[in-house]
Amino acid sequence: MSTTLDGENWPAGFAVQPRQTTLTQKLLTAFKQVPVAHAGDVMGRHTGAVGLSAYHNDLGLTMCGTAITVRTRPGDNLMVHVAIQRAQPGDIIVIDGGGDLSTAVIGGLMRTTAIARQLGGFVIDGALRDVAEWAEGILPVYARGHVHRGPSKDGPGQINTPISCAGMTVMPGDLILGDADGVIAIPASEAEAILSLCQSQAEQEARIRAQNETGKIDRERFDSILRKKGCPL
């Protein structure tokens, strides 16, 4: 048996931890204006999900919300259903499906439920199905791939525990951003500071863009880098 943070006992391999809710609505609203690329730049430039594709077929549809994490056995979606039932409006379901593409862990009927419950989207290190339905938009979804084969509902799995998803470490309650460029997880404890850095990044890029629009070339910016590396100019 395993004991969750709320004191409930679950069979080995199963766990449902409480939803984490440290992000304020004010903070989430501010992050809705932040491009994923800006967040990635201020967090070291080499972070965020890799290998996922957007299946909602709408470049303008973005995602910003609190992470509900799910770890599931490849080919099984029992705990994904449980997570959808426990999630609150705006939450993002982030699924560690082990990158398995042999069997979908989410499909069109689950999309219908998620829309009705006003969830914020899905991030899946695994496969989905019913591609045409997801392509209608409304609900953002990112997945490693798609396949028609349907899942079992046996478990095991865990909800709101630390997971790995498409190269990201995701903690329950982290802030999840998604746009046309991809998906990134921002640690909840660092979100306030990262927002400030993202706002500064946006101001810097606005200045550079304005200069670029004049057609003037800042040759020294890159020549100085070459000189430091010993390149003859």
Side-chain angles (χ1 to χ4, degrees):
M1 303 291 289
S2 60
T3 303
T4 64
L5 292 179
D6 58 10
E8 295 179 337
N9 290 323
W10 290 76
F14 290 85
V16 177
Q17 303 281 17
R19 176 177 178 269
Q20 303 298 310
T21 58
T22 60
L23 299 171
T24 66
Q25 188 56 53
K26 180 180 178 181
L27 191 63
L28 289 169
T29 298
F31 263 105
K32 288 180 180 179
Q33 308 303 317
V34 174
V36 169
H38 286 187
D41 281 353
V42 305
M43 293 173 65
R45 311 204 83 177
H46 290 87
T47 187
V50 291
L52 301 184
S53 298
Y55 279 86
H56 43 267
N57 198 35
D58 181 354
L59 295 180
L61 188 59
T62 61
M63 181 172 67
C64 177
T66 299
I68 301 295
T69 62
V70 181
R71 178 181 292 109
T72 186
R73 176 177 62 78
D76 191 274
N77 73 354
L78 172 63
M79 299 306 273
V80 181
H81 280 279
V82 175
I84 290 173
Q85 293 174 352
R86 282 167 166 73
Q88 297 298 310
D91 286 348
I92 311 295
I93 308 293
V94 186
I95 303 169
D96 175 3
D100 178 69
L101 297 179
S102 69
T103 309
V105 295
I106 196 166
L109 294 177
M110 298 168 77
R111 171 182 178 270
T112 301
T113 300
I115 291 173
R117 293 184 56 77
Q118 299 180 332
L119 301 191
F122 292 89
V123 182
I124 310 163
D125 195 354
L128 55 70
R129 68 177 185 173
D130 302 318
V131 173
E133 294 182 50
W134 294 104
E136 294 174 3
I138 305 175
L139 185 70
V141 61
Y142 299 81
R144 188 170 290 277
H146 62 275
V147 66
H148 66 280
R149 297 169 61 174
S152 61
K153 293 173 176 58
D154 296 318
Q158 297 86 41
I159 295 173
N160 285 328
T161 61
I163 64 169
S164 175
C165 180
M168 301 186 296
T169 297
V170 185
M171 302 292 290
D174 279 354
L175 194 154
I176 306 297
L177 281 184
D179 62 19
D181 284 329
V183 179
I184 196 166
I186 298 171
S189 61
E190 302 174 24
E192 196 81 48
I194 289 174
L195 174 62
S196 179
L197 293 174
C198 288
Q199 292 168 338
S200 297
Q201 179 75 12
E203 293 172 359
Q204 177 185 351
E205 290 202 8
R207 290 192 295 269
I208 295 172
R209 183 174 291 104
Q211 179 176 328
N212 290 348
E213 288 172 348
T214 69
K216 295 180 181 179
I217 298 175
D218 183 9
R219 180 169 176 174
E220 179 58 23
R221 177 186 176 191
F222 299 105
D223 282 359
S224 64
I225 296 174
L226 292 174
R227 282 195 294 271
K228 288 179 181 179
K229 295 182 179 294
C231 299
L233 297 175

